[in-house]
Amino acid sequence: MIYIVEVPPRGEPRAWFAYGEDDLLRKVAATDSRAAHEIWDRASARELLDLFDEQPDSPGVAERWPAIAELGVSLGWDTPLFRADYLAEPGLYAATPIHLIDACRAALKARGGDWRFYENEPHALAAADAPDALYDRPGGWRARWALREQLIAVEALADDH
């Protein structure tokens, strides 16, 4: 599981979790102004053409879809291409790998406030008691408490701990 603690610019801190990276993307996109594929996507040039019912060898495809054709010709039609509009130019697909969790982090951070990301249960459990500037500042106990409550809710932490 991936655990997230958010301290919005206004309002109370809250903690939540995602079962994995795909669930994280779904949850981030559900409350974002951008669609999931704008937050993060991985597709080949061939797959992008397929969205338009086109194939690389279709007559006139380079004229109708010049950017996709250029990607296919220069990088290979089946090379994985990545998009993350909060980390790169919006709409840009490139061969440089972008991790889904990094794209989701960027989307959430763009909302403002403070965030903590724990990519697994052991890290979240350790963070519940570890020194942290966010949790140790005045009022930060609320964010730490939100994390502890989330860990208790998913039974990762005993409620008497």
Side-chain angles (χ1 to χ4, degrees):
M1 281 192 214
I2 301 167
Y3 295 88
I4 289 57
V5 176
E6 63 178 281
V7 181
R10 300 184 204 284
E12 290 297 311
R14 73 181 194 106
W16 49 280
F17 74 94
Y19 289 106
E21 291 183 0
D22 291 338
D23 188 39
L24 177 64
L25 178 59
R26 183 184 61 76
K27 288 179 177 178
V28 170
T31 58
D32 201 271
S33 62
R34 293 183 174 164
H37 73 276
E38 294 171 307
I39 296 169
W40 183 86
D41 195 21
R42 179 182 60 213
S44 68
R46 183 182 311 278
E47 291 169 325
L48 292 173
L49 274 182
D50 192 51
L51 294 172
F52 304 104
D53 294 322
E54 297 271 15
Q55 296 300 316
D57 58 356
S58 298
V61 75
E63 289 77 30
R64 287 189 300 280
W65 308 105
I68 297 173
E70 175 59 30
L71 287 171
V73 169
S74 65
L75 299 173
W77 287 102
D78 297 310
T79 299
L81 304 172
F82 298 86
R83 175 180 178 173
D85 288 7
Y86 285 101
L87 292 173
E89 182 181 333
L92 176 70
Y93 279 87
T96 304
I98 298 173
H99 297 284
L100 185 149
I101 198 161
D102 293 336
C104 288
R105 274 191 185 113
L108 292 173
K109 286 182 178 183
R111 299 175 186 184
D114 291 304
W115 299 84
R116 292 295 184 270
F117 300 83
Y118 306 105
E119 293 186 36
N120 58 48
E121 196 168 278
H123 287 132
L125 286 166
D129 294 317
D132 184 297
L134 175 64
Y135 303 144
D136 297 337
R137 71 183 185 200
W141 66 270
R142 289 179 179 89
R144 185 185 304 270
W145 191 253
L147 173 60
R148 293 177 65 80
E149 285 182 325
Q150 182 61 67
L151 290 167
I152 290 168
V154 297
E155 298 180 353
L157 184 66
D159 60 5
D160 62 350
H161 179 68

PDB file of all heavy atoms in Angstrom, residues 27-39 83 85-86 107-108 110-111:
ATOM      1  N   LYS A  27      -7.122   7.542  -7.848  1.00  0.00           N
ATOM      2  CA  LYS A  27      -7.573   8.427  -6.762  1.00  0.00           C
ATOM      3  C   LYS A  27      -7.114   9.865  -6.968  1.00  0.00           C
ATOM      4  O   LYS A  27      -7.867  10.798  -6.685  1.00  0.00           O
ATOM      5  CB  LYS A  27      -7.094   7.880  -5.420  1.00  0.00           C
ATOM      6  CG  LYS A  27      -7.856   6.639  -5.008  1.00  0.00           C
ATOM      7  CD  LYS A  27      -7.379   6.068  -3.690  1.00  0.00           C
ATOM      8  CE  LYS A  27      -8.245   4.868  -3.301  1.00  0.00           C
ATOM      9  NZ  LYS A  27      -7.787   4.243  -2.042  1.00  0.00           N
ATOM     10  N   VAL A  28      -5.913  10.058  -7.451  1.00  0.00           N
ATOM     11  CA  VAL A  28      -5.429  11.417  -7.718  1.00  0.00           C
ATOM     12  C   VAL A  28      -6.255  12.040  -8.837  1.00  0.00           C
ATOM     13  O   VAL A  28      -6.703  13.181  -8.726  1.00  0.00           O
ATOM     14  CB  VAL A  28      -3.920  11.408  -8.055  1.00  0.00           C
ATOM     15  CG1 VAL A  28      -3.467  12.769  -8.558  1.00  0.00           C
ATOM     16  CG2 VAL A  28      -3.105  10.993  -6.838  1.00  0.00           C
ATOM     17  N   ALA A  29      -6.486  11.300  -9.897  1.00  0.00           N
ATOM     18  CA  ALA A  29      -7.248  11.828 -11.039  1.00  0.00           C
ATOM     19  C   ALA A  29      -8.692  12.141 -10.663  1.00  0.00           C
ATOM     20  O   ALA A  29      -9.290  13.069 -11.228  1.00  0.00           O
ATOM     21  CB  ALA A  29      -7.205  10.841 -12.201  1.00  0.00           C
ATOM     22  N   ALA A  30      -9.248  11.403  -9.721  1.00  0.00           N
ATOM     23  CA  ALA A  30     -10.648  11.622  -9.329  1.00  0.00           C
ATOM     24  C   ALA A  30     -10.868  13.012  -8.746  1.00  0.00           C
ATOM     25  O   ALA A  30     -11.988  13.540  -8.797  1.00  0.00           O
ATOM     26  CB  ALA A  30     -11.082  10.552  -8.331  1.00  0.00           C
ATOM     27  N   THR A  31      -9.810  13.622  -8.211  1.00  0.00           N
ATOM     28  CA  THR A  31      -9.955  14.944  -7.592  1.00  0.00           C
ATOM     29  C   THR A  31      -9.071  15.985  -8.256  1.00  0.00           C
ATOM     30  O   THR A  31      -8.759  17.010  -7.662  1.00  0.00           O
ATOM     31  CB  THR A  31      -9.629  14.861  -6.084  1.00  0.00           C
ATOM     32  OG1 THR A  31      -8.298  14.363  -5.926  1.00  0.00           O
ATOM     33  CG2 THR A  31     -10.611  13.965  -5.353  1.00  0.00           C
ATOM     34  N   ASP A  32      -8.654  15.728  -9.491  1.00  0.00           N
ATOM     35  CA  ASP A  32      -7.757  16.639 -10.190  1.00  0.00           C
ATOM     36  C   ASP A  32      -8.471  17.240 -11.397  1.00  0.00           C
ATOM     37  O   ASP A  32      -9.404  16.638 -11.940  1.00  0.00           O
ATOM     38  CB  ASP A  32      -6.506  15.875 -10.653  1.00  0.00           C
ATOM     39  CG  ASP A  32      -5.341  16.806 -10.923  1.00  0.00           C
ATOM     40  OD1 ASP A  32      -5.228  17.292 -12.063  1.00  0.00           O
ATOM     41  OD2 ASP A  32      -4.565  17.053  -9.995  1.00  0.00           O
ATOM     42  N   SER A  33      -8.007  18.384 -11.827  1.00  0.00           N
ATOM     43  CA  SER A  33      -8.596  19.013 -13.010  1.00  0.00           C
ATOM     44  C   SER A  33      -8.146  18.331 -14.300  1.00  0.00           C
ATOM     45  O   SER A  33      -8.777  18.499 -15.335  1.00  0.00           O
ATOM     46  CB  SER A  33      -8.231  20.501 -13.056  1.00  0.00           C
ATOM     47  OG  SER A  33      -6.821  20.654 -13.150  1.00  0.00           O
ATOM     48  N   ARG A  34      -7.084  17.550 -14.218  1.00  0.00           N
ATOM     49  CA  ARG A  34      -6.584  16.838 -15.394  1.00  0.00           C
ATOM     50  C   ARG A  34      -7.015  15.379 -15.357  1.00  0.00           C
ATOM     51  O   ARG A  34      -7.186  14.800 -14.288  1.00  0.00           O
ATOM     52  CB  ARG A  34      -5.058  16.929 -15.467  1.00  0.00           C
ATOM     53  CG  ARG A  34      -4.593  18.347 -15.727  1.00  0.00           C
ATOM     54  CD  ARG A  34      -3.110  18.443 -15.864  1.00  0.00           C
ATOM     55  NE  ARG A  34      -2.757  19.807 -16.252  1.00  0.00           N
ATOM     56  CZ  ARG A  34      -1.547  20.291 -16.151  1.00  0.00           C
ATOM     57  NH1 ARG A  34      -0.552  19.552 -15.718  1.00  0.00           N
ATOM     58  NH2 ARG A  34      -1.312  21.535 -16.514  1.00  0.00           N
ATOM     59  N   ALA A  35      -7.156  14.807 -16.536  1.00  0.00           N
ATOM     60  CA  ALA A  35      -7.517  13.394 -16.658  1.00  0.00           C
ATOM     61  C   ALA A  35      -6.333  12.518 -16.265  1.00  0.00           C
ATOM     62  O   ALA A  35      -5.184  12.968 -16.265  1.00  0.00           O
ATOM     63  CB  ALA A  35      -7.947  13.090 -18.094  1.00  0.00           C
ATOM     64  N   ALA A  36      -6.618  11.268 -15.974  1.00  0.00           N
ATOM     65  CA  ALA A  36      -5.571  10.333 -15.559  1.00  0.00           C
ATOM     66  C   ALA A  36      -4.446  10.258 -16.587  1.00  0.00           C
ATOM     67  O   ALA A  36      -3.265  10.266 -16.216  1.00  0.00           O
ATOM     68  CB  ALA A  36      -6.163   8.947 -15.320  1.00  0.00           C
ATOM     69  N   HIS A  37      -4.782  10.206 -17.878  1.00  0.00           N
ATOM     70  CA  HIS A  37      -3.730  10.099 -18.894  1.00  0.00           C
ATOM     71  C   HIS A  37      -2.912  11.378 -19.024  1.00  0.00           C
ATOM     72  O   HIS A  37      -1.833  11.360 -19.599  1.00  0.00           O
ATOM     73  CB  HIS A  37      -4.316   9.689 -20.261  1.00  0.00           C
ATOM     74  CG  HIS A  37      -5.072  10.772 -20.942  1.00  0.00           C
ATOM     75  ND1 HIS A  37      -6.386  11.047 -20.666  1.00  0.00           N
ATOM     76  CD2 HIS A  37      -4.679  11.666 -21.881  1.00  0.00           C
ATOM     77  CE1 HIS A  37      -6.784  12.059 -21.416  1.00  0.00           C
ATOM     78  NE2 HIS A  37      -5.769  12.454 -22.164  1.00  0.00           N
ATOM     79  N   GLU A  38      -3.402  12.490 -18.504  1.00  0.00           N
ATOM     80  CA  GLU A  38      -2.629  13.725 -18.487  1.00  0.00           C
ATOM     81  C   GLU A  38      -1.699  13.767 -17.275  1.00  0.00           C
ATOM     82  O   GLU A  38      -0.620  14.358 -17.337  1.00  0.00           O
ATOM     83  CB  GLU A  38      -3.555  14.938 -18.466  1.00  0.00           C
ATOM     84  CG  GLU A  38      -4.382  15.085 -19.730  1.00  0.00           C
ATOM     85  CD  GLU A  38      -5.434  16.157 -19.606  1.00  0.00           C
ATOM     86  OE1 GLU A  38      -6.225  16.137 -18.641  1.00  0.00           O
ATOM     87  OE2 GLU A  38      -5.453  17.039 -20.492  1.00  0.00           O
ATOM     88  N   ILE A  39      -2.115  13.145 -16.202  1.00  0.00           N
ATOM     89  CA  ILE A  39      -1.273  13.066 -15.013  1.00  0.00           C
ATOM     90  C   ILE A  39      -0.111  12.112 -15.263  1.00  0.00           C
ATOM     91  O   ILE A  39       1.040  12.424 -14.952  1.00  0.00           O
ATOM     92  CB  ILE A  39      -2.093  12.618 -13.790  1.00  0.00           C
ATOM     93  CG1 ILE A  39      -3.151  13.689 -13.468  1.00  0.00           C
ATOM     94  CG2 ILE A  39      -1.195  12.346 -12.586  1.00  0.00           C
ATOM     95  CD1 ILE A  39      -4.186  13.255 -12.460  1.00  0.00           C
ATOM     96  N   ARG A  83       4.183  10.294 -20.535  1.00  0.00           N
ATOM     97  CA  ARG A  83       3.580  11.627 -20.438  1.00  0.00           C
ATOM     98  C   ARG A  83       3.277  11.887 -18.966  1.00  0.00           C
ATOM     99  O   ARG A  83       2.734  11.031 -18.273  1.00  0.00           O
ATOM    100  CB  ARG A  83       2.283  11.681 -21.247  1.00  0.00           C
ATOM    101  CG  ARG A  83       1.537  12.990 -21.094  1.00  0.00           C
ATOM    102  CD  ARG A  83       0.261  12.993 -21.898  1.00  0.00           C
ATOM    103  NE  ARG A  83      -0.467  14.242 -21.690  1.00  0.00           N
ATOM    104  CZ  ARG A  83      -1.545  14.578 -22.361  1.00  0.00           C
ATOM    105  NH1 ARG A  83      -2.039  13.771 -23.279  1.00  0.00           N
ATOM    106  NH2 ARG A  83      -2.151  15.721 -22.101  1.00  0.00           N
ATOM    107  N   ASP A  85       2.007  15.555 -17.339  1.00  0.00           N
ATOM    108  CA  ASP A  85       1.821  16.983 -17.571  1.00  0.00           C
ATOM    109  C   ASP A  85       2.262  17.869 -16.413  1.00  0.00           C
ATOM    110  O   ASP A  85       2.536  19.046 -16.621  1.00  0.00           O
ATOM    111  CB  ASP A  85       0.367  17.280 -17.927  1.00  0.00           C
ATOM    112  CG  ASP A  85       0.000  16.802 -19.332  1.00  0.00           C
ATOM    113  OD1 ASP A  85       0.834  16.126 -19.980  1.00  0.00           O
ATOM    114  OD2 ASP A  85      -1.125  17.085 -19.770  1.00  0.00           O
ATOM    115  N   TYR A  86       2.346  17.338 -15.197  1.00  0.00           N
ATOM    116  CA  TYR A  86       2.825  18.138 -14.078  1.00  0.00           C
ATOM    117  C   TYR A  86       4.345  18.139 -13.986  1.00  0.00           C
ATOM    118  O   TYR A  86       4.924  18.932 -13.245  1.00  0.00           O
ATOM    119  CB  TYR A  86       2.239  17.640 -12.750  1.00  0.00           C
ATOM    120  CG  TYR A  86       0.795  18.017 -12.565  1.00  0.00           C
ATOM    121  CD1 TYR A  86      -0.218  17.098 -12.781  1.00  0.00           C
ATOM    122  CD2 TYR A  86       0.431  19.301 -12.172  1.00  0.00           C
ATOM    123  CE1 TYR A  86      -1.550  17.436 -12.610  1.00  0.00           C
ATOM    124  CE2 TYR A  86      -0.902  19.656 -11.996  1.00  0.00           C
ATOM    125  CZ  TYR A  86      -1.887  18.716 -12.222  1.00  0.00           C
ATOM    126  OH  TYR A  86      -3.203  19.061 -12.049  1.00  0.00           O
ATOM    127  N   ALA A 107       1.397  15.985  -9.192  1.00  0.00           N
ATOM    128  CA  ALA A 107       0.009  16.447  -9.306  1.00  0.00           C
ATOM    129  C   ALA A 107      -0.523  16.901  -7.958  1.00  0.00           C
ATOM    130  O   ALA A 107      -1.174  17.944  -7.862  1.00  0.00           O
ATOM    131  CB  ALA A 107      -0.867  15.336  -9.883  1.00  0.00           C
ATOM    132  N   LEU A 108      -0.239  16.129  -6.924  1.00  0.00           N
ATOM    133  CA  LEU A 108      -0.725  16.497  -5.592  1.00  0.00           C
ATOM    134  C   LEU A 108      -0.003  17.736  -5.063  1.00  0.00           C
ATOM    135  O   LEU A 108      -0.628  18.631  -4.507  1.00  0.00           O
ATOM    136  CB  LEU A 108      -0.567  15.323  -4.628  1.00  0.00           C
ATOM    137  CG  LEU A 108      -1.480  14.132  -4.915  1.00  0.00           C
ATOM    138  CD1 LEU A 108      -1.121  12.950  -4.020  1.00  0.00           C
ATOM    139  CD2 LEU A 108      -2.944  14.502  -4.752  1.00  0.00           C
ATOM    140  N   ALA A 110       1.152  20.149  -6.712  1.00  0.00           N
ATOM    141  CA  ALA A 110       0.679  21.330  -7.440  1.00  0.00           C
ATOM    142  C   ALA A 110      -0.547  21.948  -6.773  1.00  0.00           C
ATOM    143  O   ALA A 110      -0.862  23.119  -7.018  1.00  0.00           O
ATOM    144  CB  ALA A 110       0.368  20.965  -8.888  1.00  0.00           C
ATOM    145  N   ARG A 111      -1.209  21.195  -5.938  1.00  0.00           N
ATOM    146  CA  ARG A 111      -2.394  21.696  -5.238  1.00  0.00           C
ATOM    147  C   ARG A 111      -2.038  22.595  -4.070  1.00  0.00           C
ATOM    148  O   ARG A 111      -2.900  23.249  -3.496  1.00  0.00           O
ATOM    149  CB  ARG A 111      -3.238  20.527  -4.723  1.00  0.00           C
ATOM    150  CG  ARG A 111      -3.738  19.643  -5.834  1.00  0.00           C
ATOM    151  CD  ARG A 111      -4.460  18.443  -5.301  1.00  0.00           C
ATOM    152  NE  ARG A 111      -4.797  17.544  -6.400  1.00  0.00           N
ATOM    153  CZ  ARG A 111      -5.506  16.448  -6.250  1.00  0.00           C
ATOM    154  NH1 ARG A 111      -5.957  16.089  -5.058  1.00  0.00           N
ATOM    155  NH2 ARG A 111      -5.758  15.689  -7.297  1.00  0.00           N
TER     156      ARG A 111
END
